[in-house]
Amino acid sequence: AQTVTQSQPEMSVQEAETVTLSCTYDTSESNYYLFWYKQPPSRQMILVIRQEAYKQQNATENRFSVNFQKAAKSFSLKISDSQLGDTAMYFCAFMKRGGKLIFGQGTELSVKP
Amino acid sequence: KAGVTQTPRYLIKTRGQQVTLSCSPISGHRSVSWYQQTPGQGLQFLFEYFSETQRNKGNFPGRFSGRQFSNSRSEMNVSTLELGDSALYLCASSLVVQGENEQFFGPGTRLTVL
């Protein structure tokens, strides 16, 4: 069975600084996808970034980038130039091809002015 | 293009009652998945429907059931409600074409069981 672990329940960062959220996963699958979702206080789940396991290049979306280490089964999210609107719960998620999303427990990120 | 919609947004029920939640996916999306979110258990997968057939199922008791209609709209039913069923229920739709499986979430239905 696949598992996703986020070891940082809470983190805080000053506005405009950079923060990295950690995620590790366990799977025997070779073909899968990894995601970071953001859930602000409104509770709307928003996709931040996705990574296909077969791609070696790390995904980037504007201020958000990932460090995907397939052998180490690590998938961290880096947020650059943090903004107040980045305050939210962040979930790391795993999905094998044709499967369901398996979420980590989440990291609550606070961006302080 | 309209996003995923869920109705109702809030619901209060008492133990023993049953409840039906509705989800309308993004136009053209044929897959609908349901998740339960609680402070204690986090986000857990309930089931997925694709073309009116249940394709995946999580580890929930038989009190939790669902269905999908020909227009891809989906309903989730919980019978004999228990206090522990209080949660945010999230629905997500995806296109599922050529491996594209990004899931788009609705705003959720918050169920409170008294």
Side-chain angles (χ1 to χ4, degrees):
Chain A
Q2 292 84 15
T3 59
V4 178
T5 302
Q6 293 178 248
S7 59
Q8 306 150 313
E10 298 177 352
M11 293 191 73
S12 66
V13 63
Q14 291 296 128
E15 198 175 5
E17 293 189 344
T18 295
V19 64
T20 299
L21 280 56
S22 302
C23 173
T24 58
Y25 59 96
D26 189 25
T27 185
S28 58
E29 300 286 335
S30 57
N31 194 2
Y32 55 88
Y33 305 84
L34 294 163
F35 305 86
W36 278 98
Y37 280 91
K38 166 185 176 181
Q39 189 179 42
S42 67
R43 311 298 268 173
Q44 175 73 54
M45 195 75 80
I46 301 164
L47 179 66
V48 174
I49 199 164
R50 61 176 281 169
Q51 175 82 42
E52 289 86 351
Y54 67 86
K55 290 185 177 178
Q56 291 185 329
Q57 187 172 6
N58 289 324
T60 298
E61 287 288 343
N62 301 314
R63 299 182 294 106
F64 300 88
S65 61
V66 298
N67 183 3
F68 174 46
Q69 302 289 328
K70 191 172 184 178
K73 295 179 182 174
S74 170
F75 183 61
S76 61
L77 173 70
K78 186 172 82 171
I79 305 174
S80 304
D81 185 25
S82 297
Q83 300 176 0
L84 296 178
D86 295 334
T87 292
M89 183 73 85
Y90 286 81
F91 292 96
C92 177
F94 168 99
M95 176 192 280
K96 70 177 183 180
R97 194 177 181 88
K100 62 190 181 188
L101 277 170
I102 298 171
F103 289 90
Q105 288 298 102
T107 295
E108 187 168 7
L109 177 67
S110 296
V111 180
K112 300 186 184 303
Chain B
K1 187 182 273 192
V4 178
T5 58
Q6 291 187 246
T7 56
R9 293 292 312 278
Y10 302 91
L11 208 47
I12 300 175
K13 292 285 187 179
T14 56
R15 278 180 298 175
Q17 288 187 310
Q18 75 165 15
V19 67
T20 299
L21 312 182
S22 180
C23 172
S24 293
I26 292 171
S27 178
H29 285 196
R30 295 166 64 192
S31 168
V32 173
S33 297
W34 289 88
Y35 297 85
Q36 181 197 63
Q37 185 175 21
T38 61
Q41 299 299 316
L43 281 150
Q44 294 186 290
F45 172 78
L46 281 153
F47 28 66
E48 180 208 1
Y49 285 87
F50 179 78
S51 293
E52 302 179 66
T53 301
Q54 188 179 83
R55 189 162 73 163
N56 279 307
K57 188 177 188 305
N59 296 323
F60 279 80
R63 300 185 296 106
F64 292 82
S65 63
R67 59 178 176 168
Q68 186 180 35
F69 302 94
S70 58
N71 61 357
S72 293
R73 188 178 71 86
S74 177
E75 285 182 349
M76 189 192 99
N77 185 274
V78 187
S79 63
T80 318
L81 283 166
E82 300 177 359
L83 295 178
D85 297 334
S86 293
L88 180 69
Y89 290 88
L90 293 166
C91 161
S93 76
S94 60
L95 196 55
V96 195
V97 171
Q98 293 181 346
E100 178 57 54
N101 57 5
E102 179 181 331
Q103 296 199 3
F104 296 84
F105 283 82
T109 294
R110 179 162 299 280
L111 171 65
T112 301
V113 182
L114 302 175

